[in-house]
Amino acid sequence: MPELPEVETTRRGIAPELTGHQATGVVIRNGRLRHPIPPDLEATLAGQRLEAVERRAKYLLFRFSGGSLLVHLGMSGSLRIVPAGLAPEKHDHLDIVFGPRALRLRDPRRFGLVLWQAGETPHPLLAHLGIEPLSDGFDGRWLHQASRGRKTPVKLWLMDAAQVVGIGNIYASESLFRAGIDPTVPVGELGPRRCARLAACIRETLDDALAAGGSTLRDFVGSNGSPGYFQQQYFVYGRDGEPCRRCATPIRKRIMGQRATFFCAHCQH
């Protein structure tokens, strides 16, 4: 599933190209996503100016003059800017047309979301989200205070969007390796120093992933169709049985919260 760096990479590709432009049409080829695309979306968007493209957690927010279009890429979705007349391929379900160009949603598995929220009120899906890990407020002090008394393994706590948003399986595993923290340790047992180190490593990992254009997993590509390359820098994710890049100990894999977790038993203790 696209995580924060993949969604932010997409946002950064789209925003400078389409912000300030007027939507001139909508083409819905298959509206049956995780929730149906609003059938009146064309009537809603036609003539509205795109004022900003923002991100909240793993959601993209297209701020129009009359409200916001909320987009989630699901497990296999991608957004590309294409010529408006370009023939669609099999899984190209939606075009939002801006004159000669269109923002095209491709989603082979159809687990994505495209929802409209009128006015300034935030969509209910955003109401209970936690802190942004790239925000100024996210640091070791916040992490230490927020996790006191919690017995949840630190890996699972980081992946809880009610606590911290946008850190999925890949970047939780990679951040914990960089911080030298066992993913099974209860988050409430981390002291101030380890919380500070973990917060710094989360930011470092996400920044490195953004610089590499995200990770190519399944069908992820950026808004221009280019793949991300951060997977070439993985320390642990998907490398079970391979030697640790730091100490040569074989990387281990275990299942936590029904997700594969990768770690080095020597470097993370």
Side-chain angles (χ1 to χ4, degrees), residues 118-138:
E120 299 293 329
T121 305
H123 194 279
L125 286 173
L126 309 180
H128 303 292
L129 294 175
I131 193 170
E132 290 279 346
L134 294 178
S135 67
D136 293 339
F138 181 78

Side-chain angles (χ1 to χ4, degrees), residues 7-217:
V7 179
E8 179 64 16
T9 296
T10 298
R11 188 199 70 79
R12 293 182 183 183
I14 292 170
E17 298 294 326
L18 297 181
T19 300
H21 292 261
Q22 188 179 70
T24 56
V26 173
V27 179
I28 301 175
R29 300 183 187 88
N30 186 346
R32 299 188 304 275
L33 303 184
R34 192 187 340 164
H35 292 290
I37 297 175
D40 59 349
L41 189 60
E42 180 171 18
T44 299
L45 286 185
Q48 291 205 43
R49 180 178 178 271
L50 179 61
E51 297 182 344
V53 183
E54 302 172 358
R55 179 192 55 77
R56 180 69 172 109
K58 300 178 185 180
Y59 294 94
L60 287 166
L61 293 170
F62 294 85
R63 303 284 192 187
F64 286 90
S65 48
S68 297
L69 193 66
L70 185 77
V71 177
H72 192 285
L73 298 177
M75 295 188 70
S76 60
S78 63
L79 287 169
R80 297 179 178 89
I81 298 172
V82 301
L86 183 68
E89 297 184 12
K90 180 179 179 180
H91 301 295
D92 292 342
H93 303 315
L94 172 71
D95 283 3
I96 301 174
V97 183
F98 295 85
R101 296 185 294 177
L103 183 64
R104 178 165 291 178
L105 173 67
R106 175 175 296 175
D107 189 356
R109 297 187 177 212
R110 291 191 285 115
F111 287 164
L113 290 173
V114 178
L115 302 172
W116 175 254
Q117 180 73 14
E120 299 293 329
T121 305
H123 194 279
L125 286 173
L126 309 180
H128 303 292
L129 294 175
I131 193 170
E132 290 279 346
L134 294 178
S135 67
D136 293 339
F138 181 78
D139 56 17
R141 177 177 297 181
W142 178 89
L143 199 157
H144 186 259
Q145 292 177 347
S147 61
R148 293 310 86 194
R150 301 297 299 271
K151 298 181 181 180
T152 308
V154 60
K155 164 88 179 315
L156 300 183
W157 191 86
L158 289 176
M159 293 174 62
D160 181 356
Q163 306 298 330
V164 185
V165 300
I167 303 178
N169 202 26
I170 297 171
Y171 299 107
S173 292
E174 291 295 306
S175 298
L176 287 165
F177 173 83
R178 294 189 186 206
I181 296 173
D182 187 316
T184 66
V185 170
V187 66
E189 294 183 6
L190 298 180
R193 289 185 180 180
R194 287 206 289 177
C195 284
R197 185 166 70 247
L198 178 56
C201 288
I202 289 170
R203 186 181 295 271
E204 175 187 88
T205 300
L206 294 175
D207 283 342
D208 286 351
L210 282 167
S215 299
T216 295
L217 288 178

